[in-house]
């Protein structure tokens, strides 16, 4: 074995071997009929094909792989399905930006077919990198079942789902307001809109518009009553939309305006347009002037008001956000240019009143950051009410578990108030909607029919209309989340379930594990769509993990320079190459410079090589932090040191086996175990129990703590140290040789169990070391399929563990004193122990040889409670009942004396300060009783510390004088 752990060497080949041997590819027919407790199936949250995985994805991978490996080792039929998502808006946006940046072309310059070739090329490049990243972090997925949300199998499921929901009346077409992103020219769902609180007058920058946009202001202007000099003053935060106004609303009970009900108004720019005053309870009488302008085509509330009063709906925007031909003299202007020009025109007409700073909530496109506009456009919608109700019941009834449970209320709130889902997108990249419009013969109203092909849709239309027709497919594509919502069953070949071994063996799945940020985007939609299409829940448990942020608690952002590729942590990277990678994306030059500064501050020396195991272990160790994981790369470096310790300790332990050792497969019950053997088996069994409990409860940090603490603090620091004397020197003594044989068996069990317990957390390192263990009839071809240890009840010995606690506490204090006094590393001074408790003193007498070995001391004598301090020794305190004494003959203690004198002086000052504080005039009257009590306790503690230090100094001086 190499002298030191080298992650690159350890991690280079195992993944390819695992895949070649088929350890992660379960037989569907063999798994068929397995009870739920003996199977574990999970689909990966498919990462967007838009780019590379970051540390958030790596946390997902670490959690899911730990669970998958654990279940596989527990003997369950285990399947983890990988895949990537086509990510409609995100992918199209990135490819469009690259085209514009590199070739000065738009998608419209290329046309749909040619543009899609560019997107597919981008997909192939990035999907390959994502696969490589998953392989590097040891994700034990079944690559033979890998899926892409636009492959033929998934596309078949999407078509079937749309047609079935349409036939059921849940999917329908309607002309209503949508959230429109003018920059991307597409509709968005409510979940794709990011809302920001604007405190008052503010200027923002949006894509596609030169200059700043003024927001957070309330503009007031007047509408004149037709045929009179009277006017109504209205206020708006979106002045440009007044070009589409068709009414002014007032409250029916507002006495100020009752005389104007039904009166006509004059639109200043469209005098021939019919505008009226309508009475509607939507108006708040006490807000503003009590008059509200109504723009049915550009405001959600106004749209409903317009429907109630039969108002004309005038769409004044083009798809790109400019004013269209219905905007009169303002046609062709960008909507935010029109915001200014309309203001100037109103001033010229004497209708302008005022502009005030006003707090407001403003929606931005989550992808482009353009300001969202309510936009009237025919779209495909899905009614989710009934499916949402079923999804709520599933959690309330306990059929579906969501962990942690504090997410339940959020689940209920969203699903119980669910809105209609706009599922169509005006994109080219995605699943084209399987709906066809009748174009010949012409119809008075649009007629739409669904089908897998144009011929199938036409046949439906001809049957319905009784005549030959021509049809044309909708140009739009489906919302990405529609296809993602089918992922838990589309990957297994739904809807073709007859004789489908994969579907019948592996669906429903067992667990959905993901970040809590996509609880609605994805998790809720999977549950609803599975219930609607299969009649089953897609999984019985949802586990939502925390979000990964940087060490400062900031969200990962490319412009901050804190988005880290896991391969940069695994392989290491210098600062210069971190900077270079910023130029590979689509960041503007200004953002790149900002990101460089962030990288310089966080990683001045770059990122050292940590390896995949240390990265995974570090991420899992963070998972107790709740909703956010503030990841400090330096902690991951610390776990690289732990991996090195595991390597070196195993390498050291293997030397004790020799060339001919073979473990018989199990420990014999009649083995004459030493005290430390029985103790380490007890702790090993506890570690196995704790690790299983932690993984079962999704408490991954507790699993890392249990295995880390056992291996480092119990196996390495204690047991291996206690083994050294048992293996020291050549001998033919039968008794010693027999004891060594026992020790080898216990050591084998410790190393074997340790590797298997840590395997879900440190897969590469544990496979490497497991393969190097001596042979055994129970040893498996790979640790990935070796049984996971569950603990042995008979090994547990809590009385023995309490003995070790006493032993360890004393040995630790001896080692500390030995270091403090300046003994050479190989020195083994003699020592004494005094204990005031009779039972404990008897226990220490029994364990003094173990204490000697653990502390690296010579002979140890246990003193009577009232015996005088031994001559020529230095005293130290273990606890209030236990003192230790180390022989210091021949040592230069002058340096230690100086240190002690400083401590005594410091303690004297502390005691004196409390005395002065408590002796000031009026102390008893002025200081509250609880504070006086605290001061008294603190002074007593300081006094006690001073007395101990003075005794230690006296003991030192006596030792220096040879007394």
């Amino acid at each position: 074995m190499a002298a030191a752990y080298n992650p690159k060497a350890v991690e280079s080949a195992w993944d390819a071997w695992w895949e070649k041997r088929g350890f992660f590819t379960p037989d569907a027919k063999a798994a068929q009929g397995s009870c739920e407790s003996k199977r574990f199936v999970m689909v990966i949250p498919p990462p967007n094909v838009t780019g590379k995985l970051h540390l958030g994805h790596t946390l997902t991978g670490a959690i899911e792989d730990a669970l998958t490996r654990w279940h596989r080792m527990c003997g369950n039929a285990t399947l983890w399905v990988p895949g990537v998502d086509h990510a409609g808006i995100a992918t199209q946006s990135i490819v469009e930006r690259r085209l514009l940046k590199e070739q000065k072309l738009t998608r419209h310059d290329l046309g749909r077919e040619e543009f899609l070739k560019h997107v597919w090329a981008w997909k192939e490049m990035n999907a390959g990198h994502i696969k490589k990243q998953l392989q590097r972090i040891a994700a034990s997925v079944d690559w033979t079942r890998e899926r892409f949300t636009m492959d033929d199998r998934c596309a078949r499921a999407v078509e079937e789902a749309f047609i079935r929901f349409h036939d059921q009346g849940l999917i329908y077409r309607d002309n209503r307001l949508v959230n429109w992103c003018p920059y991307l020219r597409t509709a968005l769902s409510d979940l794709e809109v990011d809302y920001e609180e604007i405190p008052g007058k503010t200027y923002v920058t949006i894509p596609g518009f030169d200059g700043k946009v003024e927001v957070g202001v309330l503009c007031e202007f007047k509408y004149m009553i037709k045929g009179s000099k009277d006017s109504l003053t209205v206020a708006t935060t979106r002045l440009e939309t007044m070009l589409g106004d068709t009414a002014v609303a007032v409250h029916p009970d507002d006495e100020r305006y009752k005389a104007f009900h039904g009166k006509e108004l004059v639109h200043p720019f469209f005098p021939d347009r019919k505008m009226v005053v309508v009475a509607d309870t939507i108006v708040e009488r006490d807000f503003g002037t009590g008059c509200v302008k109504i723009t049915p085509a550009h405001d959600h509330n106004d749209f409903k008001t317009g429907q109630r009063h039969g108002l004309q709906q005038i769409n004044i925007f083009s798809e790109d956000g400019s004013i269209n031909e219905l905007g009169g003299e303002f046609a062709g202007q960008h909507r935010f240019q029109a915001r200014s020009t309309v203001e100037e025109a109103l001033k010229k007409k004497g209708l302008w009143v005022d502009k005030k700073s006003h707090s407001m909530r403003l929606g931005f496109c989550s992808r482009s950051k353009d300001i969202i506009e309510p936009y009237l456009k025919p779209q495909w919608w899905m009614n989710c009410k009934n499916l949402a109700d079923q999804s709520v019941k599933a959690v309330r009834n306990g059929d579906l578990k969501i962990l942690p449970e504090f997410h339940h209320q959020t689940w209920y709130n969203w699903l119980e108030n669910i809105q209609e889902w706009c599922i169509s997108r005006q994109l080219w990249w995605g699943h084209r909607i399987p709906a066809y419009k009748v174009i010949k013969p012409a119809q008075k109203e649009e007629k739409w029919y669904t089908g897998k092909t144009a011929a199938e849709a036409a046949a439906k239309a001809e049957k319905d209309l009784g005549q030959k027709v021509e049809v044309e497919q909708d140009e739009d594509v489906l919302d990405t989340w529609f296809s993602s919502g089918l992922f838990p069953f589309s990957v297994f070949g739904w809807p073709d379930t007859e004789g489908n071994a994969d579907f019948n063996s592996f669906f429903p799945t067992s667990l959905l594990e993901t970040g809590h940020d996509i609880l609605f985007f994805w998790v809720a939609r999977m549950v609803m769509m599975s219930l609607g299409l299969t009649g089953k829940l897609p999984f019985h448990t949802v586990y939502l993990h925390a979000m990964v942020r940087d060490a400062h608690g900031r969200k990962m952002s490319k412009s901050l320079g804190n988005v880290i590729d896991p391969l940069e942590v695994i392989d290491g990277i210098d600062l210069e190459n971190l900077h270079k990678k910023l130029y590979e994306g689509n960041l503007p030059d200004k953002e790149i410079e900002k990101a460089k500064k962030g990288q310089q501050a966080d990683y001045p020396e770059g990122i050292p090589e940590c390896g995949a195991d240390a990265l995974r272990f570090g991420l899992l160790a963070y998972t107790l932090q709740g909703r956010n994981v503030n990841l400090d790369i330096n902690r991951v470096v610390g776990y690289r040191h732990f991996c090195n310790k595991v390597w070196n300790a195993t390498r050291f332990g293997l030397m004790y086996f020799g060339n001919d050792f073979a473990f018989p497969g199990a420990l014999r019950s009649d083995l004459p175990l030493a005290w430390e053997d029985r103790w380490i088996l007890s702790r090993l069994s506890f570690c196995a129990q704790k690790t299983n409990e932690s993984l079962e409860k999704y408490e991954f940090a507790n699993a890392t703590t249990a295995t880390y603490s056992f291996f480092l603090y119990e196996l390495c620091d204690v047991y291996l140290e206690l083994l050294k004397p048992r293996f020291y020197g050549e001998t033919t003594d039968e008794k010693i040789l027999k004891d060594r044989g026992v020790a080898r068996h216990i050591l084998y069990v410790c190393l074997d169990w340790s590797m298997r317990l840590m395997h879900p957390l440190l897969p590469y390192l544990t496979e490497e070391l497991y393969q190097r263990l001596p042979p055994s009839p129970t040893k498996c071809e790979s640790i990935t399929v070796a049984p996971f240890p569950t603990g042995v009840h008979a090994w547990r010995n809590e009385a023995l563990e309490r003995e070790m606690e006493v032993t360890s506490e004393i040995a630790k204090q001896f080692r500390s004193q030995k270091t403090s006094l300046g003994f050479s590393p190989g020195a083994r001074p003699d020592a004494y122990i005094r204990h005031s408790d009779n039972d404990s003193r008897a226990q220490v007498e029994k364990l003094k040889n173990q204490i000697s070995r653990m502390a690296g001391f010579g002979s140890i004598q246990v003193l009577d409670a009232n015996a005088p301090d031994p001559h020529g020794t230095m005293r130290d305190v273990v606890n209030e009942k236990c003192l230790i004494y180390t022989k210091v003959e021949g040592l230069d203690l002058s340096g230690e004396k100086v240190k002690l004198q400083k401590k005594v002086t410091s303690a004297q000052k502390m005691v004196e300060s409390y005395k002065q504080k408590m002796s000031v005039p009026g102390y008893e009257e002025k200081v509250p009783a609880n504070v006086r009590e605290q001061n008294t306790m603190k002074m007593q503690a300081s006094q006690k510390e001073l007395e101990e230090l003075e005794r230690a100094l006296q003991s030192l001086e006596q030792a220096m004088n040879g007394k």
Side-chain angles (χ1 to χ4, degrees), residues 604-823:
E605 305 299 324
I607 300 172
E609 179 191 32
C610 295
D613 282 329
L615 175 57
R616 288 168 53 117
F617 202 86
L619 287 168
L620 292 170
Y622 265 107
T623 53
L624 274 186
Q625 290 191 4
R627 287 179 180 263
N628 292 322
V629 168
N630 295 345
L631 179 65
D632 184 352
I633 296 295
N634 290 323
R635 269 192 66 179
V636 178
V637 176
Y639 290 116
R640 155 74 194 264
H641 298 324
F642 172 62
C643 291
N644 190 57
K645 184 72 175 178
V646 173
W647 177 272
N648 286 334
T650 306
R651 178 171 171 267
F652 175 77
L654 290 174
M655 292 191 297
Y656 287 142
F657 293 121
N659 296 324
D660 302 323
F661 176 79
F663 183 69
L667 288 177
R668 292 202 330 267
S669 60
D670 61 343
L671 280 179
L673 301 180
W675 176 80
E676 61 265 25
D677 297 336
R678 289 182 288 122
W679 170 77
I680 197 66
L681 288 178
S682 180
R683 296 308 299 157
L684 180 59
S685 184
F686 175 79
C687 177
Q689 177 190 338
K690 187 69 177 174
T691 305
N692 276 285
E693 285 177 3
S694 300
L695 292 172
E696 190 174 349
K697 296 176 181 177
Y698 308 102
E699 295 171 350
F700 305 99
N702 290 342
T704 62
T705 300
T707 52
Y708 181 97
S709 298
F710 171 78
F711 197 91
L712 200 59
Y713 302 133
E714 294 170 343
L715 182 62
C716 294
D717 288 358
V718 179
Y719 187 68
L720 289 181
E721 291 302 314
L722 290 173
L723 278 189
K724 288 178 181 177
R726 295 169 71 179
F727 283 100
Y728 182 73
E730 297 291 331
T731 185
T732 57
D733 187 305
E734 196 65 33
K735 186 178 179 182
I736 295 175
L737 290 174
K738 186 176 182 180
D739 178 66
R740 287 182 181 178
V742 172
R744 287 190 181 97
H745 282 74
I746 304 304
L747 178 59
Y748 182 94
V749 170
C750 288
L751 292 177
D752 172 46
W753 277 42
S754 293
M755 295 309 118
R756 287 189 277 151
L757 287 169
M758 290 191 291
H759 179 67
L761 316 172
L762 299 168
Y764 287 126
L765 177 60
T766 51
E767 180 75 90
E768 178 79 21
L769 296 177
Y770 180 80
Q771 296 292 343
R772 295 174 183 272
L773 292 179
S776 166
T778 55
K779 188 177 178 184
C780 297
E781 180 185 0
S782 167
I783 195 172
T784 63
V785 290
F788 199 80
T790 56
V792 177
H793 181 71
W795 290 357
R796 290 306 315 278
N797 190 329
E798 293 184 13
L800 195 69
E801 290 183 15
R802 286 192 291 273
E803 287 183 1
M804 178 56 84
E805 288 173 11
V806 172
T807 307
S808 297
E809 185 182 22
I810 296 172
K812 181 181 178 182
Q813 199 61 37
F814 268 131
R815 289 195 301 270
S816 175
Q817 190 185 44
K818 185 178 175 183
T819 302
S820 177
L821 293 172
F823 279 97

Side-chain angles (χ1 to χ4, degrees), residues 237-270:
T237 57
R238 300 163 63 221
L239 183 61
E240 65 283 359
T241 63
M242 65 84 62
L243 299 174
D245 284 357
T246 55
V248 169
V250 296
H251 195 281
D253 298 330
D254 193 332
E255 295 294 337
R256 294 173 295 175
Y257 305 116
K258 277 191 173 181
F260 298 114
H261 291 186
K263 296 284 187 181
E264 287 195 39
L265 300 162
V266 179
H267 196 292
F269 306 118
F270 306 100

